[in-house]
Structures are given as C-alpha cells and as structure tokens.
Amino acid sequence: MVVCDFDDTTAKENVAEMLLEEFGGSNWRDFRNSHQRNQISLMEYQELAFGTVSADRNTLKEFVRQTATLRDGFKTLFEFCSSENIPIVIASLGLDFYIEALLEKEGLETIPFFAADTAFTKKGIKYSYRYKWEQCWQPGNCKCLVLNRYRELGYNTVIFAGDGNSDICPAEKSDVVFARRFLETHLTQNGLSFYKLSDFSDVIEVLKLICTESKSGVNNCD
C-alpha cells in the first residue's frame, strides 16, 4: 500500500500556509515561529494560527480549489494503484477541509485521508482528532497509527512519501520511503535508505518493480 503526507508532498505547496497567508491575522507567523523554536507543538501552532482566520469553510475551500495543485504524477500514481488494487491513502496532521478541497478539484474524492476534523462555528473552528495515539511522541493525529492499522489488515509492504518532521516516525516504520526536504536530510544524516521524491513518477517506477516481483512470487504487492 501507499501512504502519502499532504502538505508539500501530495500537494506541491504547503496549503495550510497558503490559507494563512491569505486569510490569517497579522500574528499567525508568531505562532509558526514558536513552533519552529519547539516552544509549541504542530497541533498547537495550527489551532492558534487558524484561530486568526475568520473566513468560512466554503470560502477557504474555494481558495484551495483556485490556487493549490497536486505534485506531478500523483493522479497517475492513483490510477496505477487502482489498476493494481493497491490502497493509496493520505495521512496528514493538517486539516480535513483543505485536503478535501484539493481532492475534489482533481476528481480524487475516493482517496481515503486521515487528518484533523474541523467544525466551523460562530466561535471559530473547533478541532477533533480521531487518529490520536497516546503512545505518539506528538499531540494530535498520529501518522504511525494509520500505518499500523493497515499493517494489522495484512498490508506487509508499505511505501511512504513525506517531507517533514512529522514524517520521521512513519518513514522509519515503512518498507520503502520517498523523501524530500527535512525528511530527506534526516534520513541521510542517520544513514537510512530512501528514494528522493521529485514527483510521483518515481514512486510508480518502484511500485511497478515491486508488483513484478510479487507476481513472480518474490514479494507481496497487494
């Protein structure tokens, strides 16, 4: 199966920051700076930063549909996975509505995604975390919980693609890793093997090899 991070991975851009740049209050960057200095968690930064946003859900989703884009090759990867009966999912610490918006724009609504749930109220955005794991090193949703649940369903070859600090744990628990940016640096410094992610055509080529081996009895693709 294939598990992909969303911001800066499945999406070319950091969609959360695009929204904050457009709709956030003047102090949202202060919260980002606090997170980058490890003073607050990603979950805390996200809730505080989006707490400065007053736009409604539909306005935010429409902005995403107009401005955000998928990384090259992702749609082709989805089509290949569908043809080979390989599950492909998105695991993100981000927010449900903007992931949903980009998938809707691209006609990929059938892709399961695991993210923070949001409810837009008169008092602002409310958050819930259905994929929280008490053993996780960070608050909020846990990507490793998602990965572990699929392992329990019998998927014994996991391909993971990511770019950030929150992707370290699932990357280290996956069989094949595609990395960029911070994750690429971390894996390199720790002597861990990975493929560099430029676009998703790289993932397709490796998946084709895995599936060929599976059909010859060497490995198990699906």
Side-chain angles (χ1 to χ4, degrees), residues 9-150:
T9 302
T10 298
K12 279 186 181 180
E13 309 87 1
N14 188 304
V15 180
E17 290 200 359
M18 289 173 61
L19 287 165
L20 291 169
E21 290 281 2
E22 183 71 15
F23 299 101
S26 60
N27 60 332
W28 77 266
R29 293 179 188 81
D30 295 335
F31 301 127
R32 182 180 64 182
N33 292 339
S34 294
H35 169 60
Q36 291 174 342
R37 292 193 295 265
N38 295 318
Q39 295 171 338
I40 60 174
S41 70
L42 177 59
M43 182 189 78
E44 291 169 319
Y45 150 58
Q46 187 165 248
E47 290 191 5
L48 289 168
F50 274 91
T52 70
V53 173
S54 59
D56 62 27
R57 188 185 195 97
N58 288 337
T59 299
L60 297 176
K61 287 185 68 174
E62 182 59 25
F63 179 80
V64 173
R65 286 190 285 263
Q66 293 294 327
T67 59
T69 54
L70 291 174
R71 186 166 301 280
D72 293 346
F74 184 80
K75 204 164 189 177
T76 305
L77 171 64
F78 167 74
E79 293 166 352
F80 176 80
C81 287
S82 298
S83 69
E84 295 289 337
N85 296 315
I86 301 170
I88 178 169
V89 305
I90 292 169
S92 173
L93 272 66
L95 307 181
D96 58 356
F97 68 88
Y98 67 72
I99 298 174
E100 184 179 72
L102 184 53
L103 294 181
E104 287 172 349
K105 170 187 175 180
E106 299 293 344
L108 299 175
E109 301 96 325
T110 59
I111 295 179
F113 66 88
F114 304 86
D117 297 313
T118 58
F120 284 68
T121 73
K122 292 181 180 179
K123 295 183 178 180
I125 304 174
K126 302 298 181 184
Y127 307 88
S128 59
Y129 301 92
R130 286 186 288 162
Y131 313 106
K132 185 177 181 179
W133 189 26
E134 296 303 327
Q135 299 178 47
C136 193
W137 64 275
Q138 62 183 357
N141 285 338
C142 178
K143 295 178 185 179
C144 280
L145 176 64
V146 175
L147 191 151
N148 290 344
R149 286 182 177 179
Y150 276 92

